[in-house]
Coordinates of all heavy atoms in Angstrom, one line a residue:
L110 N -8.4 -0.4 -3.0 CA -7.5 -0.1 -4.1 C -6.9 -1.3 -4.7 O -6.7 -1.5 -5.9 CB -6.4 0.9 -3.6 CG -5.3 1.3 -4.6 CD1 -5.9 2.0 -5.8 CD2 -4.3 2.2 -3.9
D157 N -7.5 0.6 17.2 CA -8.0 0.3 15.9 C -8.5 1.5 15.1 O -9.1 1.2 14.1 CB -9.1 -0.7 16.0 CG -8.6 -2.1 16.6 OD1 -7.5 -2.4 16.4 OD2 -9.5 -2.8 17.3
R204 N 13.4 6.6 5.6 CA 14.4 6.1 4.7 C 14.4 4.6 4.5 O 14.5 4.0 3.4 CB 15.7 6.6 5.0 CG 16.8 6.3 4.0 CD 18.1 6.9 4.3 NE 19.1 6.6 3.4 CZ 19.9 5.5 3.4 NH1 19.7 4.6 4.4 NH2 20.8 5.3 2.5
E214 N 9.5 -2.8 -5.3 CA 9.3 -2.4 -6.7 C 10.0 -3.3 -7.6 O 9.5 -3.7 -8.7 CB 9.4 -1.0 -6.9 CG 9.0 -0.5 -8.3 CD 9.2 1.0 -8.4 OE1 10.0 1.6 -7.8 OE2 8.2 1.5 -9.1
D248 N -2.5 -32.8 -6.8 CA -3.5 -33.6 -5.9 C -4.1 -32.7 -4.8 O -5.3 -32.9 -4.5 CB -2.8 -34.8 -5.1 CG -1.6 -34.4 -4.4 OD1 -0.9 -33.4 -4.8 OD2 -1.5 -35.0 -3.3

Side-chain angles (χ1 to χ4, degrees):
L110 178 62
D157 295 331
R204 185 174 180 277
E214 184 172 36
D248 57 325

